[in-house]
Amino acid sequence: MMFQLFVVLSLFAVTAGSPYAKVNGLVVGDKIGFTMSYSSQTSRFGLNIEDAAGNYHFRLAFRQATDPTGSGPVLVMNSKEGVWGGETRAPWPTLEEGGEYTVLIECLQDKFVASLNGQTIEGVEFPYRYDLANAAALHLWGGVASNDGGASIFWNTFTIPIREHFPDPAEEEAMTDEAAGSSL
């Protein structure tokens, strides 16, 4: 049985804006995402998995009923390398005002899939269009209140693969063995 460890980085309940976390590529089995406090007072919010040049390997947009495109409420998935690719859409999930939600994107063998509080989000599957190894950042966006008195989304945490912060024990042991061998 394979255990996957993740690190959660606190954003100290950062209000709406564009929080950003660096990653060093993704591999099959990785999960990446965020926790938020939901507000219906916004028009749209979501996440981008980006490469170093700022291209979007995967974008998951939560478009609310007040979205300026008039297309909400709906979830929209896409990618962008200079120009947008073809969109994929999925039904809007049930979200309660002020509720805390965790959205995780899992890297499967050939696609991204998303879950909301541990439950698969219906229709949120998106085939890879770019190499996972080139993923460089998780970028949260939107979530600003649509009106002056409205509440914004609070981004509470990021979830990124723990290997970003801790060396693989096997690699660390090999490096220690190499160092010990070179001093003999």
Side-chain angles (χ1 to χ4, degrees), residues 26-39:
L26 294 171
V27 297
V28 171
D30 279 349
K31 293 181 182 178
I32 190 167
F34 62 90
T35 300
M36 66 163 180
S37 297
Y38 174 69
S39 171

Side-chain angles (χ1 to χ4, degrees), residues 38-112:
Y38 174 69
S39 171
S40 63
Q41 303 292 310
T42 67
S43 62
R44 64 169 67 184
F45 61 93
L47 69 80
N48 298 334
I49 297 174
E50 300 177 1
D51 66 16
N55 296 308
Y56 304 157
H57 284 235
F58 177 64
R59 177 182 183 109
L60 176 59
F62 288 74
R63 291 185 184 170
Q64 304 213 70
T66 57
D67 183 77
T69 64
S71 64
V74 67
L75 301 180
V76 178
M77 295 151 283
N78 209 339
S79 63
K80 180 181 179 182
E81 188 172 36
V83 296
W84 288 105
E87 285 185 354
T88 302
R89 293 175 178 238
W92 181 262
T94 301
L95 300 173
E96 293 183 25
E97 189 71 31
E100 185 167 287
Y101 296 95
T102 298
V103 175
L104 286 178
I105 308 301
E106 185 172 2
C107 301
L108 297 183
Q109 194 65 36
D110 59 347
K111 63 187 168 193
F112 295 106

